[in-house]
Amino acid sequence: MAPPRRFIVNDDETPRTVDANRELLASLDRITTHWPPVHTCSTGWKFQGFYNGPTSIAYLFYRLSQIFPDMEFKQQTLLDWSVAYLALGAHRTKKEPYSTDCGITNETLAHLSLSAIMDQNTNLVREICSFDQDCNDRHLTGSDEWMYGRAGYLYFLRLCKTLVNDIETPESSTATLLDKTIQNTMVRILANSPTHYWHGKEYFGAAHGTVGMVTQLMLSHRLISFGVHTILERVLDRQCPSGNFPPTARTQYEDFELPPEDHLVQFCHGAPGIIIALRSLLPHFPNNAAAMRDRVEAAMEEAEKDVWKRGLLTKNPCLCHGIAGNALALSRDNHERFLHFLSWMSTEELENRGWLEEEKRADRAAGLYTGEAGRAWAWAIAVSNGPRVLIGFNDL
């Protein structure tokens, strides 16, 4: 039996176009209208850090305020909107992170780190660092991935570093503590196997796998690049003939036409996330790594061909597993292709394909990686023509 088609056939001879600025405003309007920054019985907020929920939307508005510092929306500044959404999660910061729940989905770490940089409060930075022992407990295996584990903790620490670098000297006690916590987390990750296991399988991708872990390590400390070539080569060796990458070393599906490991073409599993990650790592390769750089660039080129072919996913167009994230995997050299992908998540397409109606029944409809806020990020990248990075992953 043939499975439902996972992607829209991309057979347009002429790339489609779209008004990105209009769509950005429409996206922000849907967020603030259908999921306003208030607690209601119908909102059904999930508090999942920068992945999903009001804190993730607050982070979107904060980062948009940096891209468009003079922009106002509905008579409020983008920072005003960020403050309003951030306030919804204030009561959720009591739960302490631990070694299997310290990644990008952790509400406490997300709320504290965003509060720290918005309020310029280094005491909150120190509070985040106080979770070092819990997150990096050497007596527990824990998790090293970006979504639930220590690689995500590294992202929060790097976000805090943007504040500390601005307002404190490198010798200050907060700067010293933050650097020590980053170092401890990196050492703890590297003390484990260089491959990452989740649910008993070795995962390769950005959200749950080796590539996401390596990305946070290298962006936290450039010198770490000397020790990751072997790890990356293990991932590159797994590239499928199609150009895609398998989610795991032991993926099993049934009744599919393609090889079982070659079905997921999305940020969290597959080529899009790996392209986005590798692109941000290339500048950090040492000068004597020309051969490795060439191999990475060749792998990215083949992977992008498959994203162009199979990346218009039929799932709701979010950053994690949809068109919004896949579009950001396309090369910045071709803005037309980028807009072509984004045109498939325009307001008209959302309505025609029933995506908006479907999302009314979903508790993830507004989230940064799960819904509308992620689409707003992609539209913002299109308007600004900025680097093709994913907020919360490799934008710092």
Side-chain angles (χ1 to χ4, degrees):
M1 180 180 65
R5 184 172 289 279
R6 295 172 177 266
F7 60 93
I8 301 165
V9 177
N10 189 15
D11 57 2
D12 290 296
E13 294 184 6
T14 302
R16 300 180 0 163
T17 189
V18 65
D19 186 336
N21 187 67
R22 184 180 66 185
E23 292 297 340
L24 170 60
L25 296 177
S27 183
L28 296 180
D29 181 64
R30 284 191 289 271
I31 293 170
T32 55
T33 300
H34 301 303
W35 304 280
V38 294
H39 281 295
T40 68
C41 295
S42 60
T43 302
W45 289 115
K46 295 287 186 180
F47 293 87
Q48 296 176 311
F50 287 165
Y51 183 75
N52 180 33
T55 302
S56 76
I57 299 174
Y59 193 43
L60 167 73
F61 276 106
Y62 171 76
R63 293 289 284 114
L64 292 185
S65 75
Q66 295 179 308
I67 298 174
F68 309 110
D70 300 322
M71 179 178 174
E72 289 193 356
F73 182 72
K74 294 183 178 179
Q75 290 76 54
Q76 294 191 89
T77 69
L78 298 179
L79 279 177
D80 287 338
W81 283 108
S82 182
V83 169
Y85 279 100
L86 187 63
L88 296 184
H91 68 292
R92 306 283 302 190
T93 59
K94 306 301 182 184
K95 181 181 178 182
E96 292 193 2
Y98 53 95
S99 60
T100 57
D101 182 21
C102 57
I104 210 70
T105 60
N106 185 276
E107 179 65 25
T108 297
L109 292 172
H111 197 279
L112 286 174
S113 59
L114 183 52
S115 298
I117 60 174
M118 291 183 64
D119 298 340
Q120 295 197 324
N121 187 337
T122 55
N123 287 330
L124 294 181
V125 175
R126 299 179 73 86
E127 184 174 350
I128 293 168
C129 292
S130 73
F131 298 123
D132 180 352
Q133 185 172 1
D134 293 323
C135 297
N136 297 317
D137 191 328
R138 293 184 178 275
H139 300 290
L140 297 174
T141 302
S143 173
D144 292 322
E145 66 176 37
W146 168 80
M147 193 159 176
Y148 298 119
R150 300 180 187 100
Y153 186 37
L154 275 179
Y155 180 87
F156 294 126
L157 295 171
R158 289 196 293 116
L159 179 58
C160 291
K161 198 169 178 63
T162 64
L163 166 66
V164 172
N165 286 347
D166 284 344
I167 68 174
E168 296 210 2
T169 65
E171 298 79 18
S172 73
S173 60
T174 302
T176 300
L177 176 62
L178 182 57
D179 285 340
K180 180 181 178 182
T181 306
I182 290 174
Q183 184 67 26
N184 288 348
T185 306
M186 293 171 63
V187 168
R188 183 65 182 87
I189 291 173
L190 291 170
N192 290 337
S193 167
T195 54
H196 181 69
Y197 286 83
W198 186 56
H199 289 191
K201 296 180 181 180
E202 179 187 352
Y203 274 75
F204 301 121
H208 300 294
T210 301
V211 167
M213 178 187 73
V214 168
T215 300
Q216 301 309 318
L217 285 170
M218 287 184 67
L219 295 182
S220 298
H221 198 304
R222 294 186 180 188
L223 293 180
I224 203 68
S225 62
F226 287 101
V228 301
H229 290 185
T230 301
I231 302 174
L232 288 180
E233 285 176 345
R234 179 175 174 81
V235 176
L236 296 179
D237 287 342
R238 294 285 183 154
Q239 189 167 22
C240 305
S242 66
N244 193 27
F245 287 88
T248 77
R250 295 185 295 147
T251 303
Q252 294 183 359
Y253 297 98
E254 295 180 358
D255 299 326
F256 285 159
E257 298 171 357
L258 290 170
E261 70 276 9
D262 190 13
H263 280 85
L264 300 180
V265 184
Q266 55 195 44
F267 164 74
C268 51
H269 303 297
I274 291 179
I275 293 172
I276 291 166
L278 293 177
R279 185 188 296 142
S280 65
L281 301 186
L282 279 174
H284 304 297
F285 280 23
N287 293 332
N288 62 354
M292 184 62 182
R293 186 183 294 109
D294 289 345
R295 185 179 180 193
V296 167
E297 289 178 339
M300 290 168 60
E301 182 178 352
E302 290 303 307
E304 186 173 334
K305 293 177 183 177
D306 196 49
V307 174
W308 178 251
K309 178 181 178 182
R310 294 193 288 157
L312 292 173
L313 302 185
T314 56
K315 290 184 176 181
N316 76 302
C318 61
L319 288 180
C320 185
H321 49 249
I323 292 171
N326 287 3
L328 292 168
L330 300 176
S331 171
R332 194 178 177 188
D333 295 338
N334 196 323
H335 195 63
E336 287 186 348
R337 281 194 163 197
F338 183 45
L339 289 179
H340 173 79
F341 255 51
L342 295 188
S343 73
W344 288 94
M345 63 177 208
S346 67
T347 300
E348 181 181 5
E349 288 290 344
L350 294 175
E351 292 172 345
N352 290 344
R353 293 184 176 275
W355 278 324
L356 288 181
E357 189 64 31
E358 177 184 325
E359 286 190 345
K360 290 180 181 179
R361 303 185 294 273
D363 57 17
R364 297 182 165 193
L368 184 53
Y369 268 79
T370 59
E372 190 69 66
R375 294 196 286 271
W377 175 255
W379 291 121
I381 296 297
V383 172
S384 64
N385 198 22
R388 305 280 171 78
V389 292
L390 261 73
I391 178 175
F393 181 72
N394 66 339
D395 57 318
L396 302 177

